[in-house]
Amino acid sequence: MKAPFAVLLTGLVGLWSSFATAEPAQGSFVAAQTCEAFQSIRKRTNPDDAKVRPGQRYEVVEVNKRDYDWLRVRIPDSPTPLRWVAASCGSVEGLAFNTGDTERSEAGGDVCRQPDQHDGYVLAATWQPGFCEHVPFKGRKPECDALASGELQARHLTLHGLWPNRQSCGKNYGHCDGPALRLSESTLEHVRPWMPSFQFGTSFGRYQWDKHGVCQTQMDDDAYFRRAADLVRQLDATRAGQYLVENIGGAISRQAFYQRVTEEFGSARAGNNILLICAKGNYLQEIRVSLPRELKPADSLVGVMDGQFAPRRPDDRNACRGDRILIEAAGS
């Protein structure tokens, strides 16, 4: 009986070793072909015939070992979304391993300060009257002084920033090494209507570039700010954005806002990508939109998002509370 037991024990140890070396990871997997997505590597179980599709990007949550040949990815809309896919089925971008105190990339170093390690973007669009009324800017925001005096009008959403985002870094992805801001005059003219601070200098724009913009290298500073301004314009033009404009000086229904999002994007899940930020619970200050890593060229935000909807987000302490949200007017 010793020999069969030894064989069994060896098999169990080998099986345990294959899972003991698995470790959490973060990154993106881009499928190059159609491949099965298994619940179990060993058993090859796939009860709902889930597959990854060519050209689709999937979030990586785990690898089977450091020199991985299998990745555990998240399959949207599957009842059991975490699935194992063969690494040979596609390519991996921005993979990083969590080593405890800090997240480290394959190349070494804190991944939260390395460019092009983002898994998406956050577009932050300000409702300027609500921001200026409730943030103690103490004379450091000339656009707020101009708003109060009537010199500046605000009847649409404006640009706070376009932030490359890495989910595992929380709010700490930023301050990567990169070039200094040098915007052309034509870019400044393009951005000014959508970023009022640019009418009084570029210090805030430089801050946004140094903290966020340099963490992506797909766009130079001119292209980055132009794209950010265009995205705010597209958000403002949505049914939900125009619902705000129609109710300046009054209030909107939070439920009605998200209903307009659902109608425009064709899915209730689209609301997961859009977060309303309020002061004192119900004074609108900002809208934050989760966007995919690949910002596809499109004439509308619907095309930019292209059905890539986020999972339900956890509660945010700055999110608007209740159904009634106040849309303040400039100088009110």
Side-chain angles (χ1 to χ4, degrees), residues 214-327:
V214 293
C215 287
Q216 58 77 47
T217 62
Q218 288 78 22
M219 297 175 281
D220 64 16
D221 50 0
D222 282 309
Y224 171 81
F225 275 98
R226 283 176 173 270
R227 193 65 200 277
D230 288 343
L231 288 168
V232 169
R233 175 181 53 77
Q234 291 173 342
L235 174 61
D236 189 72
T238 63
R239 298 179 194 176
Q242 288 304 295
Y243 181 42
L244 305 181
V245 173
E246 292 162 4
N247 289 279
I248 292 175
I252 64 166
S253 159
R254 185 175 181 274
Q255 182 178 356
F257 176 90
Y258 281 106
Q259 181 59 37
R260 284 164 170 77
V261 172
T262 296
E263 292 169 356
E264 183 135 12
F265 289 87
S267 171
R269 292 183 58 212
N272 296 342
N273 290 55
I274 299 178
L275 180 66
L276 298 173
I277 299 293
C278 280
K280 300 179 180 179
N282 66 339
Y283 290 90
L284 184 67
Q285 282 193 316
E286 190 161 278
I287 300 178
R288 293 178 186 167
V289 184
S290 297
L291 296 171
R293 190 179 194 275
E294 181 187 358
L295 296 176
K296 295 182 179 180
D299 294 330
S300 72
L301 203 62
V302 176
V304 174
M305 287 170 59
D306 192 26
Q308 298 190 44
F309 302 132
R312 183 176 175 84
R313 70 173 79 231
D315 288 341
D316 188 297
R317 64 185 180 88
N318 296 314
C320 299
R321 308 299 179 190
D323 187 61
R324 187 171 185 265
I325 299 173
L326 300 171
I327 311 300

Side-chain angles (χ1 to χ4, degrees), residues 28-312:
S28 296
F29 173 75
V30 182
Q33 54 188 308
T34 299
C35 295
E36 283 202 80
F38 299 107
Q39 287 182 322
S40 166
I41 300 174
R42 181 174 65 87
K43 295 180 180 179
R44 299 293 199 273
T45 51
N46 185 9
D48 57 349
D49 197 31
K51 293 180 174 65
V52 294
R53 305 294 179 182
Q56 294 296 307
R57 184 182 301 273
Y58 301 90
E59 176 192 357
V60 176
V61 299
E62 193 175 16
V63 294
N64 65 324
K65 54 187 176 180
R66 185 58 68 100
D67 54 337
Y68 57 89
D69 50 4
W70 288 88
L71 306 109
R72 202 177 193 193
V73 302
R74 191 181 302 278
I75 307 291
D77 299 325
S78 171
T80 52
L82 297 183
R83 300 299 186 97
W84 290 98
V85 178
S88 60
C89 183
S91 59
V92 179
E93 298 178 356
L95 190 70
F97 305 102
N98 191 340
T99 60
D101 293 336
T102 186
E103 193 183 356
R104 312 292 290 183
S105 70
E106 288 183 299
D110 181 0
V111 73
C112 297
R113 294 176 66 91
Q114 291 184 7
D116 295 327
Q117 300 299 311
H118 55 295
D119 44 35
Y121 288 87
V122 172
L123 174 69
T126 299
W127 185 253
Q128 203 74 44
F131 171 82
C132 291
E133 180 66 26
H134 299 283
V135 171
F137 57 90
K138 298 179 180 179
R140 294 192 297 268
K141 294 284 185 183
E143 64 272 21
C144 288
D145 290 329
L147 202 66
S149 69
E151 176 188 351
L152 181 67
Q153 298 298 312
R155 297 190 60 83
H156 57 70
L157 292 165
T158 59
L159 175 63
H160 178 173
L162 178 62
W163 308 332
N165 181 68
R166 186 177 180 88
Q167 188 174 1
S168 60
C169 296
K171 296 181 179 179
N172 296 323
Y173 185 66
H175 297 290
C176 307
D177 290 334
L181 181 72
R182 293 185 178 86
L183 295 178
S184 68
E185 183 57 38
S186 63
T187 294
L188 291 173
E189 291 178 5
H190 185 86
V191 174
R192 280 186 188 117
W194 298 99
M195 198 169 190
S197 63
F198 270 34
Q199 299 186 32
F200 305 94
T202 58
S203 59
F204 184 65
R206 185 174 297 107
Y207 169 79
Q208 288 293 316
W209 174 253
D210 291 344
K211 182 177 180 180
H212 300 290
V214 293
C215 287
Q216 58 77 47
T217 62
Q218 288 78 22
M219 297 175 281
D220 64 16
D221 50 0
D222 282 309
Y224 171 81
F225 275 98
R226 283 176 173 270
R227 193 65 200 277
D230 288 343
L231 288 168
V232 169
R233 175 181 53 77
Q234 291 173 342
L235 174 61
D236 189 72
T238 63
R239 298 179 194 176
Q242 288 304 295
Y243 181 42
L244 305 181
V245 173
E246 292 162 4
N247 289 279
I248 292 175
I252 64 166
S253 159
R254 185 175 181 274
Q255 182 178 356
F257 176 90
Y258 281 106
Q259 181 59 37
R260 284 164 170 77
V261 172
T262 296
E263 292 169 356
E264 183 135 12
F265 289 87
S267 171
R269 292 183 58 212
N272 296 342
N273 290 55
I274 299 178
L275 180 66
L276 298 173
I277 299 293
C278 280
K280 300 179 180 179
N282 66 339
Y283 290 90
L284 184 67
Q285 282 193 316
E286 190 161 278
I287 300 178
R288 293 178 186 167
V289 184
S290 297
L291 296 171
R293 190 179 194 275
E294 181 187 358
L295 296 176
K296 295 182 179 180
D299 294 330
S300 72
L301 203 62
V302 176
V304 174
M305 287 170 59
D306 192 26
Q308 298 190 44
F309 302 132
R312 183 176 175 84

